[in-house]
Amino acid sequence: MTTLETFEKYVIPNYTRYPVTLVRGEDSWVWDEDGKRYLDFFPGWGCNMLGHCPKYVVEAVREQVGKLIHIPNSWYSQEQGEWARLLSERSFGGKCFFCNSGTEANEAAIKLARMYGNERKRYKIVTFYNGFHGRTMGSVAATAQPKYQQGLGPLLPGFIYAEYGNLDEVKKIVENDDEIVSIMLEPIQGEGGVNVPSREFLTGLRELCDKNDILLHFDEVQTGCGRTGEWFAYQLFGVTPDLMTLAKTICGGITGGALVTRQEFAPYLKPGMHAATFGGNPIAAAAGIATIRQIEEHNLLENAKRNFELFKKRFLELKEKTDVVTDVRGCGAMVGMELNINGTSIVQKCMENGLLINCTHGTVIRLLPSITLTEAQINEGCDIICDAVMNA
Ligand SMILES: *Cc1c(COP(=O)(O)O)cnc(C)c1O
């Protein structure tokens, strides 16, 4: 039986998959089972922020797996404590709860907000259209996109949706409703099309939250841990959240998630009221620590910043040459190129020519490349993309 036939028979078909089986990866390269090599500008759907099999992470996990694989959270582990310290020191000095995925981190934040709201008789959370927060029932209710909610009702109540970037609308919602406990958003929308908000929008939300005793929650599952060229995207805007959720990028491709809260909000998650059995396990923690070390020792935040300028230059040149490209946006290793056509055929064409990319929201070519990418790799990949767009 081929791999595709095995899937056909034994794997639930809830994903649309390319008919390609990947077998090996190294840095920004990945190979399929026929030995074809691809340059990967979307490694691990944003999880492999240091490329495939990053050296520090591989070494740390190899060592950890022979020492201690898993212990429950009824004991202390050196690795989890150290990982929390590193994340806290690079963000706002808060406290961490560890879990295994983005949606789980958001569930923890939703629970914390509800706990915070109890004594204030509030429970509602404002989220934004085209946001993405995950697939479990709380996070999917927070995700204001009908296509992800269809057929799942009744959804968890208590979410109010607003237009991303529209501060006046949020102000009106808060003025007319004294049950709002939290405002939850991505500081840059990823899945929604790489939408970078204005500084005024985020600053305005911060002021609104301060004035009305509302928690500000940034979902940095996609933008966190160096993706944008800062440790966390909120640092780009100078707007510090009360709660921050992390996953995808934080463990070099190993499964892991985290909720980081300001010190004063941490006690709202009390013993017994929330848990994740695998959360913060020694393997994930060792990988998380190694990820931060690799970024620092190789100056990769600087590299992510420089790389964005290289991508932007190439894509703005392309925009000059064709009407198909209508906008180029993003930050660090998070690049969006809006087209006036559906991008699916571009993705297909690039794959045929040995480059893996993504298209989101129908018309936005999205790249979440490794922050280790070199100028030569950027040019090689951009040649393929430009060729595909020019011949679209
Ligand atoms: C991917 C993503 C999630 C969900 O993460 P999972 O690990 O798939 O549960 C949540 N929020 C954002 C911003 C994401 O990009």
Side-chain angles (χ1 to χ4, degrees), residues 45 100-104 106 132-135 186 190-191 219-222 247-248 366:
W45 207 270
N100 311 288
S101 66
T103 201
E104 253 186 280
N106 286 330
F132 185 83
H133 301 295
R135 305 293 198 142
E186 297 159 87
E191 194 273 352
D219 176 346
E220 294 228 25
V221 168
Q222 195 165 133
K248 289 196 175 94
R366 176 172 53 152

Short mmCIF file of all heavy atoms in Angstrom, two decimals, residues 45 100-104 106 132-135 186 190-191 219-222 247-248 366, ligand 1:
data_model
loop_
_atom_site.label_atom_id
_atom_site.label_comp_id
_atom_site.label_asym_id
_atom_site.label_seq_id
_atom_site.Cartn_x
_atom_site.Cartn_y
_atom_site.Cartn_z
N TRP A 45 3.73 25.11 8.80
CA TRP A 45 2.57 26.00 8.96
C TRP A 45 2.88 27.06 10.03
O TRP A 45 2.06 27.40 10.87
CB TRP A 45 1.32 25.18 9.34
CG TRP A 45 0.03 25.82 8.90
CD1 TRP A 45 -0.73 26.70 9.63
CD2 TRP A 45 -0.67 25.65 7.66
NE1 TRP A 45 -1.84 27.09 8.91
CE2 TRP A 45 -1.82 26.46 7.71
CE3 TRP A 45 -0.42 24.89 6.50
CZ2 TRP A 45 -2.74 26.53 6.64
CZ3 TRP A 45 -1.33 24.96 5.47
CH2 TRP A 45 -2.48 25.77 5.54
N ASN A 100 -0.26 22.61 25.20
CA ASN A 100 0.34 21.94 24.05
C ASN A 100 0.04 22.55 22.69
O ASN A 100 0.54 22.09 21.68
CB ASN A 100 -0.11 20.48 24.02
CG ASN A 100 0.07 19.84 25.37
OD1 ASN A 100 1.19 19.57 25.77
ND2 ASN A 100 -1.00 19.64 26.09
N SER A 101 -0.82 23.55 22.65
CA SER A 101 -1.22 24.10 21.35
C SER A 101 -1.77 25.51 21.53
O SER A 101 -2.02 25.95 22.66
CB SER A 101 -2.29 23.22 20.72
OG SER A 101 -3.47 23.28 21.49
N GLY A 102 -2.00 26.16 20.41
CA GLY A 102 -2.52 27.52 20.43
C GLY A 102 -3.94 27.58 20.97
O GLY A 102 -4.28 28.44 21.79
N THR A 103 -4.75 26.68 20.49
CA THR A 103 -6.15 26.72 20.92
C THR A 103 -6.25 26.47 22.42
O THR A 103 -7.05 27.09 23.12
CB THR A 103 -7.00 25.73 20.08
OG1 THR A 103 -8.37 26.12 20.16
CG2 THR A 103 -6.83 24.29 20.52
N GLU A 104 -5.42 25.60 22.94
CA GLU A 104 -5.41 25.31 24.37
C GLU A 104 -4.96 26.52 25.19
O GLU A 104 -5.47 26.76 26.29
CB GLU A 104 -4.41 24.19 24.64
CG GLU A 104 -4.98 22.86 24.96
CD GLU A 104 -3.84 21.92 25.32
OE1 GLU A 104 -3.18 21.41 24.39
OE2 GLU A 104 -3.60 21.73 26.52
N ASN A 106 -5.40 29.57 24.31
CA ASN A 106 -6.53 30.50 24.30
C ASN A 106 -7.64 30.07 25.23
O ASN A 106 -8.29 30.90 25.87
CB ASN A 106 -7.03 30.69 22.87
CG ASN A 106 -6.08 31.54 22.05
OD1 ASN A 106 -5.40 32.42 22.59
ND2 ASN A 106 -6.02 31.30 20.76
N PHE A 132 -8.21 34.63 14.06
CA PHE A 132 -8.18 33.17 14.17
C PHE A 132 -7.59 32.79 15.53
O PHE A 132 -6.50 33.22 15.88
CB PHE A 132 -7.35 32.54 13.04
CG PHE A 132 -7.41 31.05 13.07
CD1 PHE A 132 -8.48 30.36 12.49
CD2 PHE A 132 -6.43 30.30 13.72
CE1 PHE A 132 -8.56 28.97 12.56
CE2 PHE A 132 -6.52 28.91 13.80
CZ PHE A 132 -7.58 28.25 13.20
N HIS A 133 -8.34 31.97 16.27
CA HIS A 133 -7.88 31.62 17.62
C HIS A 133 -7.87 30.12 17.89
O HIS A 133 -7.55 29.71 19.00
CB HIS A 133 -8.74 32.34 18.65
CG HIS A 133 -8.70 33.83 18.51
ND1 HIS A 133 -7.55 34.56 18.72
CD2 HIS A 133 -9.65 34.73 18.13
CE1 HIS A 133 -7.80 35.86 18.51
NE2 HIS A 133 -9.05 35.98 18.13
N GLY A 134 -8.25 29.30 16.91
CA GLY A 134 -8.16 27.85 17.12
C GLY A 134 -9.49 27.15 16.94
O GLY A 134 -10.51 27.78 16.64
N ARG A 135 -9.47 25.84 17.16
CA ARG A 135 -10.59 25.00 16.73
C ARG A 135 -11.40 24.38 17.86
O ARG A 135 -12.42 23.74 17.58
CB ARG A 135 -10.05 23.85 15.87
CG ARG A 135 -9.22 24.31 14.70
CD ARG A 135 -10.05 25.04 13.68
NE ARG A 135 -9.36 25.10 12.41
CZ ARG A 135 -9.94 24.98 11.22
NH1 ARG A 135 -11.24 24.82 11.13
NH2 ARG A 135 -9.23 25.06 10.13
N GLU A 186 -5.34 39.19 17.72
CA GLU A 186 -3.97 39.01 17.25
C GLU A 186 -3.39 40.41 17.01
O GLU A 186 -4.02 41.21 16.32
CB GLU A 186 -3.96 38.24 15.94
CG GLU A 186 -4.51 36.82 16.02
CD GLU A 186 -4.94 36.33 14.64
OE1 GLU A 186 -4.09 35.80 13.91
OE2 GLU A 186 -6.12 36.51 14.29
N GLY A 190 -2.90 36.87 11.29
CA GLY A 190 -2.15 35.97 10.42
C GLY A 190 -3.04 35.31 9.38
O GLY A 190 -3.06 35.68 8.21
N GLU A 191 -3.82 34.34 9.85
CA GLU A 191 -4.70 33.59 8.95
C GLU A 191 -5.65 34.54 8.22
O GLU A 191 -6.00 34.30 7.07
CB GLU A 191 -5.47 32.56 9.80
CG GLU A 191 -6.17 31.49 9.02
CD GLU A 191 -7.57 31.91 8.60
OE1 GLU A 191 -8.05 32.98 9.06
OE2 GLU A 191 -8.18 31.18 7.83
N ASP A 219 -3.30 37.38 21.24
CA ASP A 219 -3.02 36.03 20.77
C ASP A 219 -1.79 36.12 19.87
O ASP A 219 -1.86 36.56 18.72
CB ASP A 219 -4.24 35.49 20.00
CG ASP A 219 -4.00 34.11 19.39
OD1 ASP A 219 -2.83 33.68 19.32
OD2 ASP A 219 -4.99 33.48 18.97
N GLU A 220 -0.65 35.71 20.41
CA GLU A 220 0.62 35.75 19.65
C GLU A 220 1.08 34.35 19.25
O GLU A 220 2.28 34.07 19.18
CB GLU A 220 1.71 36.49 20.46
CG GLU A 220 1.40 37.97 20.67
CD GLU A 220 2.59 38.87 20.36
OE1 GLU A 220 3.47 38.46 19.57
OE2 GLU A 220 2.64 39.97 20.92
N VAL A 221 0.11 33.49 19.03
CA VAL A 221 0.43 32.11 18.64
C VAL A 221 1.25 32.10 17.34
O VAL A 221 2.17 31.31 17.19
CB VAL A 221 -0.86 31.27 18.51
CG1 VAL A 221 -0.59 29.93 17.84
CG2 VAL A 221 -1.49 31.06 19.88
N GLN A 222 0.91 33.00 16.43
CA GLN A 222 1.63 33.05 15.15
C GLN A 222 2.77 34.07 15.17
O GLN A 222 3.81 33.87 14.54
CB GLN A 222 0.64 33.39 14.02
CG GLN A 222 1.20 33.13 12.65
CD GLN A 222 0.13 33.11 11.56
OE1 GLN A 222 0.29 33.72 10.53
NE2 GLN A 222 -0.97 32.41 11.79
N ALA A 247 2.18 29.63 21.01
CA ALA A 247 2.29 28.20 20.66
C ALA A 247 3.20 28.10 19.44
O ALA A 247 4.37 28.46 19.56
CB ALA A 247 0.92 27.56 20.41
N LYS A 248 2.62 27.69 18.30
CA LYS A 248 3.38 27.48 17.05
C LYS A 248 4.89 27.67 17.10
O LYS A 248 5.65 26.74 16.91
CB LYS A 248 2.82 28.39 15.95
CG LYS A 248 1.44 27.97 15.46
CD LYS A 248 1.09 28.64 14.14
CE LYS A 248 -0.23 28.13 13.59
NZ LYS A 248 -1.38 28.93 13.95
N ARG A 366 0.79 34.00 1.51
CA ARG A 366 1.35 34.18 2.85
C ARG A 366 2.62 33.35 3.00
O ARG A 366 2.62 32.16 2.72
CB ARG A 366 0.33 33.76 3.92
CG ARG A 366 0.90 33.84 5.35
CD ARG A 366 -0.14 33.61 6.44
NE ARG A 366 -0.90 32.38 6.30
CZ ARG A 366 -1.44 31.71 7.31
NH1 ARG A 366 -1.31 32.17 8.54
NH2 ARG A 366 -2.13 30.62 7.11
C1 LIG B 1 -2.68 28.60 14.56
C2 LIG B 1 -3.26 29.61 15.46
C3 LIG B 1 -4.02 29.23 16.58
C4 LIG B 1 -4.35 27.79 16.87
O1 LIG B 1 -3.21 27.07 17.20
P1 LIG B 1 -3.28 25.46 17.27
O2 LIG B 1 -1.93 25.08 17.80
O3 LIG B 1 -3.55 24.97 15.88
O4 LIG B 1 -4.38 25.12 18.19
C5 LIG B 1 -4.49 30.21 17.42
N1 LIG B 1 -4.21 31.50 17.19
C6 LIG B 1 -3.48 31.92 16.15
C7 LIG B 1 -3.19 33.37 15.97
C8 LIG B 1 -2.98 30.98 15.23
O5 LIG B 1 -2.27 31.39 14.17
#
